[in-house]
Amino acid sequence: MQQPGYGHQPPQAGPPGFGPPPPAYAPYPSFPAPALQVPPGPDFLAADRHNSVVVDAAGVSFEMLGMTADFPWPVIRSVHYRESPNGRTLLMVGVVHVDGRVYECVVDAKRREGLQEWFGQLAAVLGHYRPMG
């Protein structure tokens, strides 16, 4: 007995399938997405020509060379910041995600006084939104 090759089976005689598809259902009405209600509170902004860090009631946002990364407070385990170890006036901010991933952004303050001012502002804003760290 000769059998057809794989994938070339003869049609099977038998009961018909499930029939034609049902008529299209009426689409659900679309509702506009509710606007994110962010309560007013203190905010922090540090920016240079290429990068920026924003901390506000919504969370932490990094912008690096035109790309943005937003971290809402519920997905943030902790936020760390420090000065560049090589003595430059760089603010280094790190966000630790709840799954353990770490994201960093570096912003150039240009002057030591500007960096110290950023440290004071950032400490106050983080203390407001994350009092336990």
Side-chain angles (χ1 to χ4, degrees):
M1 175 174 169
Q2 192 170 35
Q3 294 188 358
Y6 182 76
H8 301 303
Q9 301 295 326
Q12 298 283 331
F18 292 103
Y25 294 100
Y28 288 105
S30 62
F31 298 103
L36 179 62
Q37 298 295 326
V38 177
D43 57 356
F44 170 79
L45 169 67
D48 63 19
R49 291 183 336 160
H50 303 289
N51 303 333
S52 67
V53 174
V54 176
V55 181
D56 59 16
V60 179
S61 296
F62 293 160
E63 184 172 340
M64 298 166 285
L65 300 170
M67 295 175 46
T68 303
D70 296 321
F71 306 97
W73 289 117
V75 302
I76 295 175
R77 181 182 296 165
S78 62
V79 179
H80 306 277
Y81 61 94
R82 68 182 182 129
E83 181 178 356
S84 171
N86 61 6
R88 296 182 57 201
T89 56
L90 300 177
L91 171 65
M92 302 172 73
V93 179
V95 170
V96 180
H97 197 271
V98 292
D99 66 6
R101 291 179 288 176
V102 178
Y103 301 88
E104 296 179 322
C105 186
V106 178
V107 182
D108 190 351
K110 300 288 186 202
R111 308 179 342 266
R112 176 125 341 256
E113 297 81 22
L115 184 60
Q116 295 307 317
E117 185 179 321
W118 281 351
F119 281 151
Q121 293 172 357
L122 186 53
V125 172
L126 288 174
H128 178 80
Y129 296 114
R130 302 290 295 213
M132 301 306 284

